[in-house]
Amino acid sequence: LHNACWYGPTEVVQFLLSHPDINVNLKDKYEGTPFQLTCSLGKTSIVRLMLADARVMINGKNKWGYTPLSDAARWGHLEVIKWMIASGRELDLGREGDNSGPINMARARNHTEVLSLLQRFRKDQVNTRREIRLELEVMNKLVAEMFVPIVLFCDGYLKLKKNETQKEKEIRARRFFEIVSRLPMELQKVVCHRIFDSSKDGVSSAG
């Protein structure tokens, strides 16, 4: 399961989780679980899948005393933390001043958005959880509504033009990515997946 979380697509993890005899909390040599590894890597789709499995421990600590939430905060994975909060499962925020706790991790790494969210959550878990759930619901709806237009946008913008010079291709690609950088994170992911799944000509036109 660790390898699937590291290398495999979500479908592979889903298949393994469907096996009744699998140890979903098996620890590696660093005493980290598959869920903790997934949080540290920032793989939101797999995190969501594992959060829905009641067998998965979400507050276990590795050999350094870090929890999955601490690792997500350490690497600045804001979306992962939002889904952890929205899941409704109890989260270990650590004690005040705990260097291995998620709040101090975010502060030490200067992840300001993560720090702000965790501080809000510590202060008012009920309202913060409700706000995050609403935000994610709106975002999921937006992604669903925008998926087809985004795909067409990628295909059209990256389409190789016969008479286009290399400099023109570079300028067009730069403008494309400037536009993409202004999109919400979930839509940026759609764009990235589309680019990598595009034809070789389409990808090469991005420079």
Side-chain angles (χ1 to χ4, degrees), residues 160-166 168-169 172:
L160 186 64
K161 293 182 179 179
K162 292 181 179 180
N163 300 321
E164 195 173 49
T165 66
Q166 182 61 33
E168 288 172 331
K169 292 177 188 175
R172 184 161 56 88

Side-chain angles (χ1 to χ4, degrees), residues 7-18:
Y7 298 108
T10 305
E11 292 77 12
V12 174
V13 177
Q14 187 173 24
F15 172 76
L16 292 175
L17 289 176
S18 69

